[in-house]
Amino acid sequence: MTRADLAALRRAAAAPASPSAASDPTPAAPGPPTAAPAPTAAPVSPPALVPVLVLWDLDLTLLDPAGFGARMITPVLADLLGREPVMGVSFAGRTDRAILTDLLVRNGMRIDDDNATDTTLTGGGELTSADRLVPAVMDAVAERCETFADDLLDGGGGSLPGAHDAVRALAADPLVHQGIVTGNMRRTALLKLRVCGFDGLPDPSLGAFGDHRSDRAHLILDAVAAARARGIDVSPAQAVVVGDHVHDVRGALDAGARCIGVATGRVSADHLHSAGAHVVLPDLTDPDALVAAIHAAAPRH
């Protein structure tokens, strides 16, 4: 092999290798453009569910008092007046404070808007200058109710059909909190709940009573405030009033709450609808219908 042949071999070894068929440098014919990969969508969380405050009326919604209040009020007023009182004022759907104020006025007592008559009623019916007249009469009525509690059932009162099952059905929902908005004084409301077998539900601490208010809208706002004080994050819009009277409906609407009417009292379903109830039920005997109505009326997220 000559020196020229060796030089040729070295040059061949140093030269770049020839491309193979798999790496053909000839550009491929252009194809359709490749779409860019779609961005990955962030996972969508379901709407957060919010708590609902169900506020029960008592008389003719959960229970029938069967005239218990009038039977307790009449002798108290008789002791105060020294004669049989003139009754003749409407009780339905009103607060005890409003009812007793009207009765006192109807029977000749002067009561100003602030209930500022400085008198209290002693056990024997004697008035002394220690407190205001309306609260004094309310205390005397509550005391008589407690003394004669058996009269509620003996007089034909008691829980209404389906009421206990309705309360239990709502208690199964962890987002539903059950309280009370009633025109009854607190003492008489608690007595009625106890006598009629409602043990702790609805929760009296999540409620408002007719001791200090004449307007039911204020009671609803008081109940919402009580719930918030307990750490339940609700607004009036998350409250659902369940009641039998147009006063329940109007109070709920005035407070910015929802209302489910139940035609278990003296007001027809049509009148409850006309007053603005969001849902109207004939009674409480269908717990599933009540639960559905609460979900339909209340904002859930």
Side-chain angles (χ1 to χ4, degrees), residues 151-172:
D151 184 76
L152 174 58
L153 299 182
D154 292 344
S159 61
L160 285 171
H164 288 287
D165 289 340
V167 171
R168 281 192 289 266
L170 292 181

mmCIF file of all heavy atoms in Angstrom, residues 151-172:
data_model
loop_
_atom_site.group_PDB
_atom_site.id
_atom_site.type_symbol
_atom_site.label_atom_id
_atom_site.label_comp_id
_atom_site.label_asym_id
_atom_site.label_seq_id
_atom_site.Cartn_x
_atom_site.Cartn_y
_atom_site.Cartn_z
ATOM 1 N N ASP A 151 -103.875 22.205 82.340
ATOM 2 C CA ASP A 151 -105.069 22.668 81.635
ATOM 3 C C ASP A 151 -104.876 22.680 80.124
ATOM 4 O O ASP A 151 -105.855 22.600 79.369
ATOM 5 C CB ASP A 151 -105.443 24.068 82.123
ATOM 6 C CG ASP A 151 -106.723 24.585 81.501
ATOM 7 O OD1 ASP A 151 -107.807 24.141 81.919
ATOM 8 O OD2 ASP A 151 -106.622 25.417 80.570
ATOM 9 N N LEU A 152 -103.626 22.788 79.687
ATOM 10 C CA LEU A 152 -103.374 22.798 78.238
ATOM 11 C C LEU A 152 -103.857 21.506 77.600
ATOM 12 O O LEU A 152 -104.601 21.530 76.603
ATOM 13 C CB LEU A 152 -101.881 23.014 77.968
ATOM 14 C CG LEU A 152 -101.410 22.922 76.508
ATOM 15 C CD1 LEU A 152 -102.130 23.928 75.626
ATOM 16 C CD2 LEU A 152 -99.909 23.135 76.418
ATOM 17 N N LEU A 153 -103.444 20.370 78.149
ATOM 18 C CA LEU A 153 -103.874 19.082 77.599
ATOM 19 C C LEU A 153 -105.303 18.756 78.008
ATOM 20 O O LEU A 153 -106.082 18.228 77.200
ATOM 21 C CB LEU A 153 -102.927 17.972 78.047
ATOM 22 C CG LEU A 153 -101.458 18.109 77.614
ATOM 23 C CD1 LEU A 153 -100.654 16.903 78.081
ATOM 24 C CD2 LEU A 153 -101.340 18.272 76.101
ATOM 25 N N ASP A 154 -105.661 19.090 79.248
ATOM 26 C CA ASP A 154 -107.017 18.792 79.710
ATOM 27 C C ASP A 154 -108.061 19.548 78.898
ATOM 28 O O ASP A 154 -109.194 19.073 78.725
ATOM 29 C CB ASP A 154 -107.167 19.151 81.188
ATOM 30 C CG ASP A 154 -106.348 18.259 82.104
ATOM 31 O OD1 ASP A 154 -105.907 17.180 81.635
ATOM 32 O OD2 ASP A 154 -106.135 18.638 83.271
ATOM 33 N N GLY A 155 -107.676 20.699 78.392
ATOM 34 C CA GLY A 155 -108.600 21.505 77.595
ATOM 35 C C GLY A 155 -108.645 21.121 76.128
ATOM 36 O O GLY A 155 -109.296 21.809 75.330
ATOM 37 N N GLY A 156 -107.953 20.051 75.768
ATOM 38 C CA GLY A 156 -107.997 19.583 74.385
ATOM 39 C C GLY A 156 -106.812 19.980 73.540
ATOM 40 O O GLY A 156 -106.786 19.707 72.329
ATOM 41 N N GLY A 157 -105.802 20.601 74.140
ATOM 42 C CA GLY A 157 -104.628 21.002 73.380
ATOM 43 C C GLY A 157 -103.620 19.878 73.228
ATOM 44 O O GLY A 157 -103.785 18.794 73.775
ATOM 45 N N GLY A 158 -102.550 20.162 72.492
ATOM 46 C CA GLY A 158 -101.493 19.184 72.290
ATOM 47 C C GLY A 158 -100.798 19.408 70.965
ATOM 48 O O GLY A 158 -101.118 20.337 70.211
ATOM 49 N N SER A 159 -99.810 18.567 70.687
ATOM 50 C CA SER A 159 -99.077 18.694 69.422
ATOM 51 C C SER A 159 -100.001 18.381 68.249
ATOM 52 O O SER A 159 -100.907 17.553 68.359
ATOM 53 C CB SER A 159 -97.867 17.769 69.410
ATOM 54 O OG SER A 159 -98.275 16.421 69.527
ATOM 55 N N LEU A 160 -99.757 19.043 67.135
ATOM 56 C CA LEU A 160 -100.566 18.820 65.936
ATOM 57 C C LEU A 160 -100.055 17.600 65.167
ATOM 58 O O LEU A 160 -98.880 17.219 65.293
ATOM 59 C CB LEU A 160 -100.523 20.059 65.044
ATOM 60 C CG LEU A 160 -101.379 21.233 65.542
ATOM 61 C CD1 LEU A 160 -101.111 22.483 64.714
ATOM 62 C CD2 LEU A 160 -102.867 20.887 65.498
ATOM 63 N N PRO A 161 -100.910 16.963 64.374
ATOM 64 C CA PRO A 161 -100.492 15.760 63.635
ATOM 65 C C PRO A 161 -99.249 16.016 62.787
ATOM 66 O O PRO A 161 -99.174 16.995 62.038
ATOM 67 C CB PRO A 161 -101.715 15.465 62.762
ATOM 68 C CG PRO A 161 -102.875 16.021 63.517
ATOM 69 C CD PRO A 161 -102.340 17.270 64.172
ATOM 70 N N GLY A 162 -98.279 15.120 62.926
ATOM 71 C CA GLY A 162 -97.057 15.187 62.127
ATOM 72 C C GLY A 162 -95.998 16.119 62.649
ATOM 73 O O GLY A 162 -94.879 16.140 62.121
ATOM 74 N N ALA A 163 -96.302 16.904 63.700
ATOM 75 C CA ALA A 163 -95.358 17.932 64.134
ATOM 76 C C ALA A 163 -94.049 17.327 64.633
ATOM 77 O O ALA A 163 -92.958 17.800 64.277
ATOM 78 C CB ALA A 163 -95.994 18.804 65.215
ATOM 79 N N HIS A 164 -94.121 16.293 65.450
ATOM 80 C CA HIS A 164 -92.892 15.690 65.973
ATOM 81 C C HIS A 164 -92.056 15.076 64.854
ATOM 82 O O HIS A 164 -90.825 15.236 64.829
ATOM 83 C CB HIS A 164 -93.237 14.626 67.016
ATOM 84 C CG HIS A 164 -93.744 15.195 68.305
ATOM 85 N ND1 HIS A 164 -92.935 15.841 69.201
ATOM 86 C CD2 HIS A 164 -94.995 15.235 68.841
ATOM 87 C CE1 HIS A 164 -93.640 16.242 70.245
ATOM 88 N NE2 HIS A 164 -94.901 15.888 70.045
ATOM 89 N N ASP A 165 -92.702 14.385 63.927
ATOM 90 C CA ASP A 165 -91.966 13.788 62.807
ATOM 91 C C ASP A 165 -91.345 14.860 61.924
ATOM 92 O O ASP A 165 -90.241 14.674 61.387
ATOM 93 C CB ASP A 165 -92.887 12.891 61.976
ATOM 94 C CG ASP A 165 -93.267 11.605 62.687
ATOM 95 O OD1 ASP A 165 -92.546 11.219 63.638
ATOM 96 O OD2 ASP A 165 -94.276 10.984 62.303
ATOM 97 N N ALA A 166 -92.034 15.981 61.765
ATOM 98 C CA ALA A 166 -91.499 17.069 60.946
ATOM 99 C C ALA A 166 -90.217 17.622 61.561
ATOM 100 O O ALA A 166 -89.217 17.844 60.865
ATOM 101 C CB ALA A 166 -92.545 18.171 60.811
ATOM 102 N N VAL A 167 -90.235 17.839 62.865
ATOM 103 C CA VAL A 167 -89.045 18.359 63.548
ATOM 104 C C VAL A 167 -87.896 17.357 63.452
ATOM 105 O O VAL A 167 -86.742 17.723 63.194
ATOM 106 C CB VAL A 167 -89.383 18.692 65.005
ATOM 107 C CG1 VAL A 167 -88.118 19.022 65.794
ATOM 108 C CG2 VAL A 167 -90.358 19.871 65.068
ATOM 109 N N ARG A 168 -88.210 16.074 63.638
ATOM 110 C CA ARG A 168 -87.156 15.049 63.547
ATOM 111 C C ARG A 168 -86.585 14.964 62.134
ATOM 112 O O ARG A 168 -85.373 14.752 61.956
ATOM 113 C CB ARG A 168 -87.713 13.696 63.984
ATOM 114 C CG ARG A 168 -87.810 13.529 65.494
ATOM 115 C CD ARG A 168 -88.078 12.081 65.870
ATOM 116 N NE ARG A 168 -89.428 11.679 65.528
ATOM 117 C CZ ARG A 168 -90.455 11.720 66.379
ATOM 118 N NH1 ARG A 168 -90.276 12.165 67.620
ATOM 119 N NH2 ARG A 168 -91.656 11.325 66.006
ATOM 120 N N ALA A 169 -87.428 15.101 61.123
ATOM 121 C CA ALA A 169 -86.951 15.024 59.736
ATOM 122 C C ALA A 169 -85.956 16.142 59.441
ATOM 123 O O ALA A 169 -84.922 15.925 58.793
ATOM 124 C CB ALA A 169 -88.133 15.084 58.766
ATOM 125 N N LEU A 170 -86.226 17.347 59.905
ATOM 126 C CA LEU A 170 -85.298 18.452 59.677
ATOM 127 C C LEU A 170 -84.026 18.294 60.502
ATOM 128 O O LEU A 170 -82.948 18.718 60.077
ATOM 129 C CB LEU A 170 -85.981 19.778 60.008
ATOM 130 C CG LEU A 170 -87.118 20.202 59.077
ATOM 131 C CD1 LEU A 170 -87.687 21.546 59.516
ATOM 132 C CD2 LEU A 170 -86.660 20.272 57.626
ATOM 133 N N ALA A 171 -84.150 17.667 61.675
ATOM 134 C CA ALA A 171 -82.977 17.469 62.522
ATOM 135 C C ALA A 171 -81.959 16.541 61.867
ATOM 136 O O ALA A 171 -80.778 16.557 62.231
ATOM 137 C CB ALA A 171 -83.396 16.907 63.878
ATOM 138 N N ALA A 172 -82.380 15.731 60.889
ATOM 139 C CA ALA A 172 -81.460 14.813 60.217
ATOM 140 C C ALA A 172 -80.523 15.537 59.248
ATOM 141 O O ALA A 172 -79.533 14.955 58.789
ATOM 142 C CB ALA A 172 -82.258 13.743 59.463
#
